């Protein structure tokens, strides 16, 4: 059996934490008088915490001191963590377990490639941490998506060539990062948003094991 590297983004792919990021950023943005809707939120998917706050300030034409910047980031993260602390394995998105089990059965490399600094906490909360052979997250990278660093590091940690890796992503920045890494990019979400991906599925339920085995055999 061929061995490929399957690299999963976390937020919005494995768990629906994208909604918690949205709630926490919206609350923070509104507290400083910046309007924040789903449209702005889409542009923050896959984007690091620092970059996200920079963008919000830019949209609202705000300049603040470095001290206040750090404070706002901490407020957002504390708020976000109140949601995360309540998570359990019921918040794993549909069919993620089936896909992971199938890949494990077929002895494939499985890695996490996430911009989040909370990735390990979340994987532990939903009891998935032991399914991953490698974890690369926001603590391990200097350049955020769309830079391919996170996925290149994940491939390296798996010991699998980057051309033999497949990335699951719900964000535009993440799909672009996978493409830049010369990996197969699979968008999880809407075709109109993720059209740069090699394949797009609405969710994992739409992705059959026969598709996975084709990727493995390629
Ligand atoms: C993911 C999410 C982003 C989030 C980033 C950093 O990529 O899609 O919305 O801003 O991680 O997450 P963190 O948990 O470190 O704030
Ligand atoms: Mg994501």
């Amino acid at each position: 059996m061929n061995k490929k590297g399957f690299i999963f983004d976390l937020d919005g792919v494995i768990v629906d934490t994208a909604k918690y990021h949205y709630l926490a950023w919206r609350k923070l943005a509104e507290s400083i008088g910046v309007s924040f809707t789903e449209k702005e939120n889409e542009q923050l998917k896959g984007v690091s915490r620092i970059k996200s706050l920079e963008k919000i300030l830019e949209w609202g034409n705000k300049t603040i001191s470095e001290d206040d910047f750090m404070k706002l980031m901490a407020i957002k993260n504390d708020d976000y963590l109140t949601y995360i602390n309540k998570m359990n394995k019921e918040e794993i998105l549909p069919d993620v377990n089936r896909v992971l089990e199938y890949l494990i059965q077929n002895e494939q490399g499985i890695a996490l490639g996430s911009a989040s600094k909370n990735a390990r906490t979340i994987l532990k909360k939903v009891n998935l941490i032991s399914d991953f052979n490698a974890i690369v997250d926001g603590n391990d990278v200097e350049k955020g998506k769309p830079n391919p660093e996170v996925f290149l590091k994940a491939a390296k940690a798996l010991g699998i060539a980057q051309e033999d890796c497949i990335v699951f992503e719900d964000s535009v920045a993440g799909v672009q990062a996978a493409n830049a890494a010369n990996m197969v990019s699979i968008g999880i979400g809407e075709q109109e948003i993720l059209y740069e991906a090699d394949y797009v599925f609405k969710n994992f339920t739409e992705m059959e094991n026969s598709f996975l085995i084709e990727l493995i055999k390629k």
Side-chain angles (χ1 to χ4, degrees), residues 33-213:
V34 180
S35 99
F36 192 83
T37 67
E38 302 256 6
K39 190 173 148 264
E40 282 80 32
N41 188 54
E42 201 56 49
Q43 297 179 55
L44 299 188
K45 285 188 182 167
V47 174
S48 73
R49 203 180 307 164
I50 294 186
K51 268 261 146 43
S52 297
L53 182 53
E54 281 172 3
K55 280 183 187 251
I56 290 170
L57 293 171
E58 208 180 293
W59 294 330
N61 257 322
K62 307 258 174 204
T63 28
I64 59 172
S65 70
E66 204 167 319
D67 232 37
D68 286 344
F69 190 95
M70 299 312 282
K71 275 186 201 144
L72 291 182
M73 281 217 302
I75 291 172
K76 187 271 172 178
N77 198 50
D78 287 348
D79 191 27
Y80 178 64
L81 287 177
T82 62
Y83 297 109
I84 298 313
N85 288 331
K86 289 184 225 146
M87 284 181 82
N88 59 43
K89 61 181 188 330
E90 275 161 36
E91 291 197 55
I92 298 170
L93 285 164
D95 277 31
V96 166
N97 278 313
R98 190 249 312 158
V99 168
L100 284 170
E101 273 162 31
Y102 189 74
L103 297 175
I104 292 169
Q105 265 170 28
N106 284 282
E107 294 172 16
Q108 299 301 299
I110 302 176
L112 191 85
S114 165
S116 174
K117 294 190 172 182
N118 297 302
R120 280 187 169 76
T121 310
I122 294 169
L123 284 182
K124 281 185 202 150
K125 274 275 172 200
V126 299
N127 216 1
L128 279 183
I129 201 150
S130 58
D131 283 7
F132 289 83
N133 307 115
I135 293 174
V136 181
D137 67 18
N139 300 296
D140 307 311
V141 294
E142 275 166 28
K143 300 179 207 113
K145 301 168 186 176
N147 187 286
E149 184 184 7
V150 65
F151 296 140
L152 295 173
K153 281 201 164 162
K156 204 163 177 201
L158 288 174
I160 294 176
Q162 64 198 77
E163 311 78 55
D164 290 326
C165 288
I166 296 109
V167 172
F168 299 112
E169 256 296 344
D170 71 318
S171 72
V172 175
V175 165
Q176 290 170 341
N179 291 343
N182 214 356
M183 298 177 176
V184 176
S185 55
I186 303 185
I188 304 292
E190 300 301 325
Q191 171 69 32
E192 305 85 78
I193 296 173
L194 302 173
Y195 56 85
E196 289 172 67
D198 295 318
Y199 306 88
V200 179
F201 292 84
K202 268 202 163 41
N203 49 51
F204 282 107
T205 307
E206 309 268 296
M207 191 187 298
E208 295 183 6
N209 288 350
S210 56
F211 174 76
L212 296 169
I213 202 75

